[in-house]
Amino acid sequence: EKFVVHSIAHDTGVAKVAVLGVPDTPGVAAKVFVPLSEAGVGVEMIIQSIMRGQVNDIAFLVRKEFLGEAIEVSRRTAREVGAQGVAFDTEIGKISLVGAGLANHPEAPARMFSILAGESVNIDMISSTSMAITCVVSSADVERSVKALHRSFIEENPL
Amino acid sequence: EKFVVHSIAHDTGVAKVAVLGVPDTPGVAAKVFVPLSEAGVGVEMIIQSIMRGQVNDIAFLVRKEFLGEAIEVSRRTAREVGAQGVAFDTEIGKISLVGAGLANHPEAPARMFSILAGESVNIDMISSTSMAITCVVSSADVERSVKALHRSFIEENPL
Ligand SMILES: C[C@@H](O)[C@H](N)C(=O)O
Ligand SMILES: C[C@@H](O)[C@H](N)C(=O)O
């Protein structure tokens, strides 16, 4: 019997960077990520939601050791494209529900978010695919979040 | 020799829904997705970026056939949590660069976004993992975007 959720993963070796209030026009995402690539800064969990007004925010995670470089490069880009600025946060972690077919199982994100709510954990960023639902939370909340998710999805009530 | 980018995927059978201006406090994401799950509405590409002020937007994709149900459920939730409202769009498609180890290859998103910029395609939403970089664009832009990405990443300059 194939489980939809296989495992819970977590990673506190990441930091968040966000370029805020970028013009929402073609070419801007390229302007953000080309210099990062040229600087050899690996990027994970790129997230851009829908625009607000004519601007958008582009957020991404980097390994903590690349944060300084990522901020420096991003500030230069922000000036060039007329963005509002650059925000960053090192006190974060990412938690992933890992599995398969999650797009056909809405109970997976529903339960994951309910469990985090039950732990009074605020969800900072969310990104999902058919194979993983990833939440960014405060690093202080990672341990108990992972424990609670593991208890429900792996131990007590496998999905 | 293992390629980092294996293929280009696309899907125009999706519609976008966004619950706008939700309070950014624990339990809100659960309030959005539990009713959708109870209504049997599958959700893909959930995206929530960093908050702005004390509010955030939660966007997600559904198969087009579930859009009506998703909007109805989401509007009820929006009222309950004091959100600003619900936006939706059917004239979209998602395009994915599919591969492996993409978090260590920042040239992949840099090139993907540059190619879309070269086609004057505006990128509406972005979500990435180590295995895929997915962009939401207007449905009218999907065909030429996929062609251009395929020409570069698969035919002419495999990564
Ligand atoms: C905001 C940014 O993604 C912009 N829409 C672009 O296409 O590059
Ligand atoms: C916005 C929403 O994700 C909220 N932060 C929550 O934790 O539920």
Side-chain angles (χ1 to χ4, degrees):
Chain A
E1 241 295 69
K2 206 154 176 13
F3 287 120
V4 172
V5 175
H6 306 161
S7 57
I8 313 296
H10 69 281
D11 183 352
T12 49
V14 287
K16 167 177 73 175
V17 181
V19 186
L20 306 174
V22 300
D24 196 20
T25 52
V28 172
K31 286 212 174 79
V32 171
F33 289 97
V34 165
L36 287 166
S37 177
E38 289 168 346
V41 176
V43 296
E44 24 184 306
M45 204 175 170
I46 302 170
I47 287 190
Q48 173 187 308
S49 187
I50 57 172
M51 69 168 170
R52 287 298 219 125
Q54 300 306 316
V55 299
N56 213 326
D57 302 329
I58 302 179
F60 54 95
L61 303 185
V62 296
R63 306 311 305 171
K64 280 180 154 112
E65 45 273 35
F66 282 107
L67 181 61
E69 185 75 27
I71 293 169
E72 188 175 332
V73 170
S74 298
R75 279 181 175 155
R76 216 173 301 141
T77 301
R79 279 195 297 274
E80 275 180 35
V81 304
Q84 285 170 341
V86 176
F88 62 92
D89 191 349
T90 56
E91 304 309 300
I92 60 155
K94 62 170 174 152
I95 300 170
S96 297
L97 216 69
V98 184
L102 298 174
N104 298 323
H105 287 272
E107 64 270 34
R111 199 203 296 184
M112 180 183 195
F113 303 152
S114 297
I115 288 166
L116 294 177
E119 294 291 323
S120 302
V121 172
N122 197 46
I123 304 169
D124 183 35
M125 295 161 74
I126 304 170
S127 168
S128 80
T129 67
S130 58
M131 298 174 59
I133 305 166
T134 300
C135 291
V136 170
V137 302
S138 294
S139 43
D141 293 338
V142 172
E143 190 177 347
R144 83 175 181 282
S145 296
V146 170
K147 278 206 175 85
L149 289 167
H150 196 271
R151 190 164 49 239
S152 174
F153 278 103
I154 309 297
E155 299 165 33
E156 294 178 356
N157 204 359
L159 186 65
Chain B
E1 241 294 70
K2 205 155 172 14
F3 287 121
V4 172
V5 175
H6 305 160
S7 58
I8 313 297
H10 69 280
D11 183 353
T12 48
V14 288
K16 167 177 73 175
V17 181
V19 186
L20 307 174
V22 300
D24 196 23
T25 52
V28 172
K31 287 212 175 78
V32 171
F33 290 97
V34 165
L36 288 166
S37 176
E38 289 168 345
V41 176
V43 295
E44 24 184 306
M45 204 174 171
I46 301 170
I47 287 191
Q48 174 187 307
S49 186
I50 55 172
M51 68 168 169
R52 288 298 221 123
Q54 300 307 316
V55 299
N56 213 326
D57 303 328
I58 302 179
F60 54 96
L61 303 186
V62 296
R63 306 312 305 170
K64 280 181 155 113
E65 46 272 35
F66 282 106
L67 181 60
E69 184 75 27
I71 292 170
E72 188 175 332
V73 170
S74 298
R75 280 181 174 156
R76 217 173 300 140
T77 302
R79 279 194 298 273
E80 273 177 37
V81 304
Q84 285 172 339
V86 176
F88 62 92
D89 190 349
T90 57
E91 303 309 301
I92 61 154
K94 63 171 174 153
I95 301 171
S96 296
L97 215 69
V98 184
L102 297 174
N104 298 322
H105 288 271
E107 63 270 34
R111 201 205 293 184
M112 181 183 194
F113 304 152
S114 298
I115 287 166
L116 294 177
E119 293 292 322
S120 301
V121 172
N122 197 46
I123 304 169
D124 184 36
M125 295 162 73
I126 304 170
S127 168
S128 80
T129 66
S130 59
M131 299 175 59
I133 305 166
T134 300
C135 290
V136 170
V137 301
S138 296
S139 42
D141 294 338
V142 171
E143 190 176 348
R144 80 175 184 283
S145 296
V146 170
K147 280 205 176 84
L149 290 167
H150 197 271
R151 188 162 54 238
S152 174
F153 278 103
I154 309 296
E155 299 165 31
E156 295 179 355
N157 206 0
L159 186 66

